[in-house]
Amino acid sequence: MKRLLSRWLPAYAFLYIVFLYLPVMFLPIFSVNASHVPKFPMTGFTWKWYEELTRTPALLDAAWNSLMVGVTASILATILGICAARAITRYRFPGRTAASGLIMAPLVLPEIILAVSLLIVMLSLGLQLSLFTVVLGHVLICIPYSVTVLNAGFEGFDRSLEEASADLGETSFGTFRRVTLPMVAPAIISSLLVSFTISLDEFIMAFFLAGTDATLPVYIWGQLRFAAKLPSVLALGTLLLVGSFILLTVAEVLRRRAERRVHGVAAHA
């Protein structure tokens, strides 16, 4: 049985990856097709769809909105994630497991339910739908990812380092700033990158909470209704795909570096 699994499991994993990502690979291929229709055979090679992106004011406005929302949401989610991850990994308190489960709840709850619920809450509070409400929704979605990444940075952290700092007369805040944060800095940067990527690609929250201020995913959805805009959408989607892949790769590298650094310090202590 083990021999059979060892033989077929890699093949299954390969087929799964092909099934999942092969359609995505057609995105950059058709984005340089000279024809408006994404089909084979291609009629020629062109960069004009990418050039048109820089001459579209609505697209540039949506990109700026997504940038502001992504940066703000990633910073807020990371700050809250630092507090949550430190409390979960360092202290034992009643309701710790329940609190951890509630933090991770947005990962398993239907996102459209969360979006509608937030919309009702925002309107009940009298808040006008804007980029601010989008940031609040994105923070809710990004916190579980941030906590997951930061847990790896805080777990295994040697408390004797903080105790030594306290014995030398440093305050609790000074110890946290001078000792703890530098040790988990790669995990913090990784959290910022992951949260920014999640916010940049998030559509449902932005669709319900943005009001008249469109983000990039909402802009793309609006353009899909027009067949003539499809090549530009493919070009924009390719740029987002490449950007997301780079950010997530860097974030994963930093997360693993933080995990090795913490465990390495703990092993030498």
Side-chain angles (χ1 to χ4, degrees):
M1 186 63 180
K2 291 183 178 180
R3 181 178 299 179
L4 182 63
L5 288 177
S6 63
R7 180 179 301 177
W8 288 105
L9 191 58
Y12 169 77
F14 175 77
L15 292 176
Y16 177 80
I17 293 175
V18 170
F19 176 78
L20 190 63
Y21 290 105
L22 183 61
V24 179
M25 298 306 299
F26 287 110
L27 195 65
I29 294 175
F30 288 129
S31 69
V32 293
N33 185 17
S35 173
H36 285 79
V37 181
K39 66 177 182 179
F40 291 109
M42 299 175 60
T43 58
F45 182 89
T46 181
W47 293 106
K48 65 179 180 179
W49 311 123
Y50 290 90
E51 296 173 358
E52 284 187 2
L53 297 179
T54 60
R55 299 192 295 267
T56 308
L59 167 62
L60 298 179
D61 291 339
W64 177 249
N65 291 339
S66 287
L67 179 62
M68 290 191 298
V69 170
V71 170
T72 306
S74 62
I75 292 175
L76 292 177
T78 299
I79 292 174
L80 295 174
I82 290 173
C83 299
R86 180 174 172 82
I88 292 172
T89 58
R90 181 59 53 85
Y91 304 106
R92 298 294 182 267
F93 52 90
R96 174 176 172 270
T97 303
S100 179
L102 287 175
I103 291 174
M104 298 299 172
L107 294 179
V108 296
L109 293 175
E111 195 170 333
I112 191 170
I113 301 300
L114 291 175
V116 173
S117 301
L118 282 177
L119 176 62
I120 295 174
V121 171
M122 300 297 180
L123 295 179
S124 300
L125 294 175
L127 295 177
Q128 185 178 1
L129 298 182
S130 62
L131 295 181
F132 173 72
T133 54
V134 176
V135 168
L136 296 180
H138 283 193
V139 168
L140 177 65
I141 294 297
C142 292
I143 284 179
Y145 297 95
S146 175
V147 171
T148 301
V149 172
L150 290 167
N151 277 342
F154 280 103
E155 284 180 350
F157 185 83
D158 189 2
R159 296 194 63 180
S160 63
L161 298 175
E162 295 179 331
E163 293 172 356
S165 176
D167 290 339
L168 293 174
E170 186 61 86
T171 62
S172 298
F173 178 76
T175 299
F176 182 74
R177 181 172 63 88
R178 297 175 182 272
V179 178
T180 306
L181 285 183
M183 289 296 299
V184 297
I188 293 175
I189 298 175
S190 178
S191 171
L192 289 170
L193 293 176
V194 169
S195 299
F196 178 80
T197 304
I198 297 299
S199 175
L200 186 66
D201 297 336
E202 174 58 41
F203 168 73
I204 296 180
M205 285 290 182
F207 179 76
F208 279 91
L209 303 176
T212 58
D213 300 318
T215 60
L216 270 178
V218 176
Y219 171 83
I220 292 175
W221 177 83
Q223 296 301 301
L224 287 175
R225 293 176 295 176
F226 308 100
K229 298 291 185 179
L230 183 57
S232 297
V233 171
L234 295 177
L236 179 58
T238 300
L239 294 178
L240 290 176
L241 179 66
V242 173
S244 299
F245 177 78
I246 293 174
L247 289 176
L248 289 176
T249 300
V250 173
E252 179 62 17
V253 170
L254 292 174
R255 186 193 67 81
R256 293 186 179 184
R257 181 179 300 177
E259 189 174 5
R260 290 196 302 267
R261 182 178 181 181
V262 170
H263 291 299
V265 171
H268 289 86

